[in-house]
Amino acid sequence: MRLLVVSDSHGSVRNLRETLLRQEAIPVSQRPEILLHLGDGACDTERVQLPDGMTVFAVRGNCDGALAMDYPVVRTVCFGGFRILMMHGHTFGVKSSLISAVAHARQEGAHLLLYGHTHEPFARTIEAGTLFGDRPLHVFNPGSLAEGSFGVVELSKKGILMSHGSLR
């Protein structure tokens, strides 16, 4: 299963549309089935035509206004046996350190922590036995969609594969 992960679109519906169009150019068997938006533009997902069958899950960021109040600040979703913790990250101080966000992900039993807010693409696997965990934790930030950065996460029996893409 593939997930399209975006964050910090900040009203750049054009970049979201372009990202979705690029996914439609991929062979059907390799297209993302789920769109995950990590805040600061969560409502942008309501302003685009999604590919047939694509489902959206979103969280609210610090720049999302009253229209995004229905979106949670933190959300856990499960796909293919993987538990994924979604957050924008502002309430966990991700601009200065990932420690609080990682601790929360570990507490929630997540396999994958997705966050935004920093506008910096990031992908790392924290090995088992480190930072309060007995199993690996994958940590991923797709970067800022407003600046042309997005991510794709593949979930399979082999594990979790994280990659970044760019509209530039």
Side-chain angles (χ1 to χ4, degrees), residues 82 138 154-161:
F82 293 98
H138 301 274
E154 184 174 350
L155 307 173
S156 72
K157 291 179 182 178
K158 295 180 181 179
I160 298 173
L161 180 63

Side-chain angles (χ1 to χ4, degrees), residues 14-34:
R14 180 175 169 260
N15 281 4
L16 182 54
R17 280 191 190 113
E18 176 64 27
T19 302
L20 291 168
L21 283 172
R22 287 186 183 200
Q23 303 313 304
E24 288 183 338
I26 297 170
V28 174
S29 63
Q30 297 175 12
R31 286 183 194 162
E33 304 164 46
I34 308 287

Side-chain angles (χ1 to χ4, degrees), residues 119-148:
H119 292 212
E120 296 292 327
F122 181 87
R124 181 163 298 146
T125 300
I126 300 171
E127 297 303 324
T130 59
L131 287 178
F132 356 98
D134 59 353
R135 69 170 175 222
L137 175 66
H138 301 274
V139 182
F140 187 75
N141 183 329
S144 169
L145 187 60
E147 297 167 16

Side-chain angles (χ1 to χ4, degrees), residues 74-165:
V74 177
R75 175 181 221 157
T76 301
V77 293
C78 296
F79 304 113
F82 293 98
R83 193 169 174 85
I84 301 167
L85 183 67
M86 300 171 56
M87 65 173 63
H88 185 61
H90 61 294
T91 59
F92 289 88
V94 298
K95 281 191 176 180
S96 59
S97 171
L98 291 176
I99 296 291
S100 293
V102 167
H104 188 70
R106 293 283 198 202
Q107 180 182 344
E108 295 296 313
H111 299 94
L112 173 62
L113 166 62
L114 299 175
Y115 73 98
H117 191 52
T118 67
H119 292 212
E120 296 292 327
F122 181 87
R124 181 163 298 146
T125 300
I126 300 171
E127 297 303 324
T130 59
L131 287 178
F132 356 98
D134 59 353
R135 69 170 175 222
L137 175 66
H138 301 274
V139 182
F140 187 75
N141 183 329
S144 169
L145 187 60
E147 297 167 16
S149 182
F150 62 92
V152 176
V153 172
E154 184 174 350
L155 307 173
S156 72
K157 291 179 182 178
K158 295 180 181 179
I160 298 173
L161 180 63
M162 307 170 288
S163 62
H164 291 99

